[in-house]
Amino acid sequence: KAGVTQTPRYLIKTRGQQVTLSCSPISGHRSVSWYQQTPGQGLQFLFEYFSETQRNKGNFPGRFSGRQFSNSRSEMNVSTLELGDSALYLCASSLGGLAGGTDTQYFGPGTRLTVL
Amino acid sequence: AQSVTQPDIHITVSEGASLELRCNYSYGATPYLFWYVQSPGQGLQLLLKYFSGDTLVQGIKGFEAEFKRSQSSFNLRKPSVHWSDAAEDCCAVASGDMRFGAGTRLTVKP
């Protein structure tokens, strides 16, 4: 079974631009979660989508948004990029999602975003 | 609010030595606890998880962790470290969302 894939793997943007990242979950998984990872901060939860609905959201500004399609693929969008948005963005998929707490999440390799 | 603390940012151990990485959590109810490992250029891989029952859980690659409710801890251990264990290890708590600690970078000396 193919793992979680993320595209692109690397991205360079300039301040003020917007960016869209894509995540394809493991086949059959209905939940996709997004995380931001920066040095010294660990992974910060952005949001979770389950069956095309946002089920939970972390403490990030409205510039960060996402969506999920009927095939469970998910996209994350960041508008008006700032230097501080430079990070590794990881997505994870699971069968039932984070609500129950017990589902194992499977992570993709991440997209490295650099904002100049 | 639930949170996870990993007090050690960086730990260096010699190959063959034992290892213990600390993880403390703050959460009102019984937490669902995880340890993930992140190798350079790769995503996170689940090492082990605790939901309930036996407080000593076994994971992959010879790792184990012990849940201690009285100390709010879920420390990761390995009796004999291998050079391939060098990575970033992350502790996490799940319930509705997922909170990660800042991670501990493990360096293994030959």
Side-chain angles (χ1 to χ4, degrees), chain B residues 5-22:
Chain B
T5 303
Q6 292 181 248
D8 306 304
I9 297 172
H10 187 197
I11 282 185
T12 300
V13 298
S14 298
E15 190 168 17
S18 63
L19 169 71
E20 181 167 18
L21 302 184
R22 296 182 291 166

Side-chain angles (χ1 to χ4, degrees), chain A residues 43-108:
Chain A
L43 276 77
Q44 305 288 317
F45 173 76
L46 280 155
F47 32 65
E48 180 199 12
Y49 284 86
F50 184 87
S51 294
E52 302 180 65
T53 300
Q54 187 181 85
R55 203 152 71 171
N56 209 339
K57 191 178 188 318
N59 189 25
F60 277 82
R63 300 185 296 108
F64 292 81
S65 63
R67 59 177 175 169
Q68 187 179 33
F69 302 95
S70 58
N71 62 358
S72 293
R73 188 177 71 85
S74 177
E75 289 182 346
M76 188 190 87
N77 185 76
V78 187
S79 62
T80 319
L81 284 167
E82 301 176 359
L83 295 179
D85 296 332
S86 294
L88 180 67
Y89 291 88
L90 294 162
C91 76
S93 77
S94 66
L95 280 168
L98 298 175
T102 61
D103 239 26
T104 295
Q105 291 191 95
Y106 297 85
F107 284 81

Side-chain angles (χ1 to χ4, degrees), chain B:
Chain B
Q2 58 185 20
S3 64
V4 182
T5 303
Q6 292 181 248
D8 306 304
I9 297 172
H10 187 197
I11 282 185
T12 300
V13 298
S14 298
E15 190 168 17
S18 63
L19 169 71
E20 181 167 18
L21 302 184
R22 296 182 291 166
C23 173
N24 294 101
Y25 65 89
S26 171
Y27 188 58
T30 300
Y32 302 121
L33 297 159
F34 303 79
W35 274 100
Y36 283 87
V37 60
Q38 185 176 27
S39 300
Q42 300 186 25
L44 275 72
Q45 181 183 21
L46 180 68
L47 282 175
L48 46 77
K49 57 189 178 183
Y50 172 78
F51 299 150
S52 64
D54 193 349
T55 57
L56 184 64
V57 293
Q58 303 295 323
I60 62 172
K61 304 183 180 185
F63 284 93
E64 65 178 28
E66 187 171 13
F67 170 62
K68 293 185 177 180
R69 185 189 303 275
S70 61
Q71 298 177 21
S72 297
S73 69
F74 187 56
N75 294 349
L76 183 71
R77 302 194 295 243
K78 187 169 184 178
S80 177
V81 170
H82 188 262
W83 64 267
S84 61
D85 292 326
E88 182 97 2
D89 294 292
C90 306
C91 182
V93 172
S95 180
D97 63 5
M98 191 161 233
R99 305 290 176 99
F100 282 83
T104 297
R105 183 185 303 174
L106 175 62
T107 298
V108 181
K109 293 190 302 185

